[in-house]
């Protein structure tokens, strides 16, 4: 095998390790090495030290490419950041994403960093991490808007970030994610029925056991093999509604079966009255699910298309460069009063907005 072919195979192998999140130690696994040798006896699987070096070199090269690409962008950037937790190890990570519109009027985005956050998740700590990342990519002075959830530490993070960047708030504005707001409304509704919610969740967990599920299916008449009881996930929007909607049609069978079981599960079975309360909750959550889906998918895409058309037609007209950020701010009711203080500014933005929507 030529050196060129060996390099190509090794690069492909390294890309596979990275893109599939395989552990680097895979290269030392005997059965894996045997499989590769069987496919191509002349290719020698590189050691983990070599793969590690190639991954780090590839990261550095890609990072430099991104820095050069961002430097060539003529517009300013929007920043999105959110905190995530790996439930298995309770480890927290801060995702930092940059968005912008390129010279071809295409919406672009790139994940700048996915940073481990072992410290307290205070606004100060998040500001330090984000600012360090923005400085590494040389875009700290070009941030136009910041989108986060509505948590108090995120609000504090934005205030500290603006102070660190040394800009006035009207020149860098904060948006609270609309889908997060809708999700918070749903959480308030769910908390009012927390006892019944906990009961349904306990029943679903119990019924998801393979042996229990098999026995339960045998008791259902007419017979069915379809028993989908998804468990809700706190970080997954609308998952609670999905869980309750799936359990509701089987509420009578679940009551008969679980009430006859031994142990604590008998006390977790929702009563008929509690299921009636769930009917009301389901009807309340349905439109919230529809709104969040509409906002995330269809509405956002439609607004981008219409905004793109408006900008293409009006970009050369005087004053439009100032009206565009005013429109963006007007669309967010939580900040329009702060950033459009005068009646004249609101009228100008409102007039422009009519041409879009």
């Amino acid at each position: 095998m030529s050196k060129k072919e060996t390099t190509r195979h090794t690069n492909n192998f390294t890309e596979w390790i990275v893109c599939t999140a395989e552990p680097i130690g895979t290269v030392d696994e005997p059965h894996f090495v045997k499989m590769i040798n069987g496919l191509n006896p002349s290719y020698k699987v590189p050691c983990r030290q070599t793969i590690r070096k190639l991954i780090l070199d590839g990261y550095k090269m890609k990072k430099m490419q991104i820095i050069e690409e961002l430097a060539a962008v003529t517009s300013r950037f929007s920043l999105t950041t959110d905190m995530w937790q790996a439930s298995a190890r309770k480890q927290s990570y801060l995702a930092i994403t940059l968005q912008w519109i390129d010279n071809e009027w295409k919406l672009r985005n790139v994940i700048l960093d996915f940073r481990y956050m072992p410290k307290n998740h205070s606004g100060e700590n998040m500001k330090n991490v984000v600012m360090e990342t923005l400085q590494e990519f040389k875009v700290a002075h070009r941030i136009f808007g910041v989108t986060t959830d509505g948590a108090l530490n995120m609000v504090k993070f934005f205030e500290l970030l603006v102070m660190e960047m040394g800009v006035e708030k009207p020149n860098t504005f904060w948006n609270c994610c609309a889908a997060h707001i809708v999700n918070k409304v749903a959480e308030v509704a769910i908390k009012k029925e927390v006892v019944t919610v906990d009961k349904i969740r306990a029943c679903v967990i119990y019924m998801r056991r393979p042996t229990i599920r098999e026995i339960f299916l045998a008791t259902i008449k007419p017979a069915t093999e379809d028993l989908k009881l998804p468990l809700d996930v706190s970080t997954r929007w609308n998952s609670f509604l999905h869980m309750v909607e799936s359990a509701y049609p089987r509420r009578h069978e679940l009551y008969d079966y679980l009430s006859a079981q031994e142990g604590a599960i008998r006390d977790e079975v929702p009563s008929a009255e509690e299921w009636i309360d769930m009917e009301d909750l389901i009807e309340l959550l349905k439109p919230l699910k529809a709104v969040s889906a509409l906002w995330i998918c269809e509405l956002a895409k439609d607004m981008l298309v219409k905004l793109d058309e408006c900008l293409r037609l009006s970009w050369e007209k005087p004053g439009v460069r100032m009206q565009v950020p005013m429109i963006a701010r007007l669309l967010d009711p939580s900040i329009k009063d702060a950033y459009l203080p005068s009646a004249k500014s609101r009228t100008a933005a409102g007039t422009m907005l009519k041409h879009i929507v």
Side-chain angles (χ1 to χ4, degrees), residues 301-320:
K301 292 179 181 178
D302 187 54
M303 284 299 298
L304 283 174
V305 171
K306 291 181 178 180
L307 183 59
D308 176 65
E309 293 174 355
C310 173
L311 293 177
R312 284 181 180 275
L313 293 173
S314 309
W315 186 249
E316 300 300 329
K317 294 182 180 180
V320 170

Side-chain angles (χ1 to χ4, degrees), residues 8-257:
R8 179 169 60 84
H9 287 316
T10 299
N11 289 339
N12 290 338
F13 178 54
T14 304
E15 183 178 352
W16 173 75
I17 289 284
V18 172
C19 294
T20 60
E22 296 291 333
I24 297 180
T26 301
V27 300
D28 296 329
E29 207 285 315
H31 292 88
F32 177 79
V33 175
K34 181 180 178 181
M35 180 189 70
I36 297 298
N37 290 336
L39 294 173
N40 192 336
S42 60
Y43 178 71
K44 182 180 179 181
V45 177
C47 65
R48 67 170 65 195
Q49 288 80 10
T50 299
I51 293 296
R52 183 177 185 276
K53 183 179 184 303
L54 289 172
I55 291 174
L56 292 177
D57 290 345
Y59 167 77
K60 293 175 183 177
M61 182 174 65
K62 186 63 176 178
K63 183 177 180 180
M64 290 305 301
Q65 291 176 353
I66 292 174
I67 291 175
E68 292 175 1
E69 182 179 357
L70 296 179
V73 176
T74 57
S75 63
R76 295 173 69 187
F77 302 97
S78 291
L79 175 73
T80 302
T81 185
D82 196 10
M83 187 73 71
W84 297 85
Q85 186 178 75
S87 57
R89 296 187 177 182
K90 303 298 182 183
Q91 294 177 333
S92 298
Y93 297 86
L94 187 68
I96 306 171
T97 307
L98 209 63
Q99 298 92 17
W100 71 96
I101 297 176
D102 65 16
N103 295 333
E104 300 298 325
W105 292 98
K106 293 181 180 179
L107 183 62
R108 302 282 303 281
N109 66 81
V110 63
I111 298 176
L112 297 184
D113 209 342
F114 197 76
R115 187 73 69 89
Y116 175 48
M117 292 285 292
K119 298 181 180 180
N120 180 31
H121 305 158
S122 64
E124 178 72 24
N125 288 335
M126 288 191 290
K127 182 268 297 182
N128 292 336
V129 170
V130 171
M131 196 64 192
E132 179 183 337
T133 300
L134 295 178
Q135 289 173 343
E136 285 181 5
F137 286 87
K138 307 183 189 309
V139 293
H141 60 295
R142 301 174 61 191
I143 299 301
F144 172 64
V146 179
T147 301
T148 69
D149 60 35
L152 292 178
N153 59 342
M154 283 296 185
V155 176
K156 185 64 176 179
F157 149 75
F158 172 71
E159 294 177 353
L160 295 173
L161 183 69
V162 169
M163 292 174 59
E164 183 81 9
M165 292 190 298
V167 298
E168 297 294 331
K169 280 189 178 181
N171 294 325
T172 302
F173 65 94
W174 173 73
N175 283 321
C176 181
C177 174
H180 273 95
I181 295 175
V182 172
N183 191 56
K184 286 296 181 183
V185 174
E187 287 181 358
V188 171
I190 293 171
K191 285 180 180 179
K192 291 184 178 180
E193 303 292 344
V194 64
V195 175
T196 306
V197 167
D198 289 342
K199 286 184 176 182
I200 294 175
R201 186 177 293 115
C203 291
V204 169
I205 293 174
Y206 183 83
M207 295 302 302
R208 284 167 64 90
R209 300 177 185 177
T211 54
I212 299 296
R213 179 181 181 276
E214 184 177 348
I215 296 172
F216 174 69
L217 286 174
T219 66
I220 297 178
K221 295 181 180 181
T224 179
E225 295 183 359
D226 183 22
L227 180 64
K228 296 180 180 179
L229 292 177
L231 184 64
D232 64 328
V233 180
S234 60
T235 56
R236 187 173 299 163
W237 296 335
N238 301 314
S239 65
F240 170 77
L241 177 60
H242 191 199
M243 178 182 71
V244 177
E245 281 187 313
S246 300
Y248 182 79
R250 297 291 184 186
R251 62 191 183 281
H252 299 303
E253 292 97 330
L254 289 171
Y255 180 85
D256 293 340
Y257 178 77

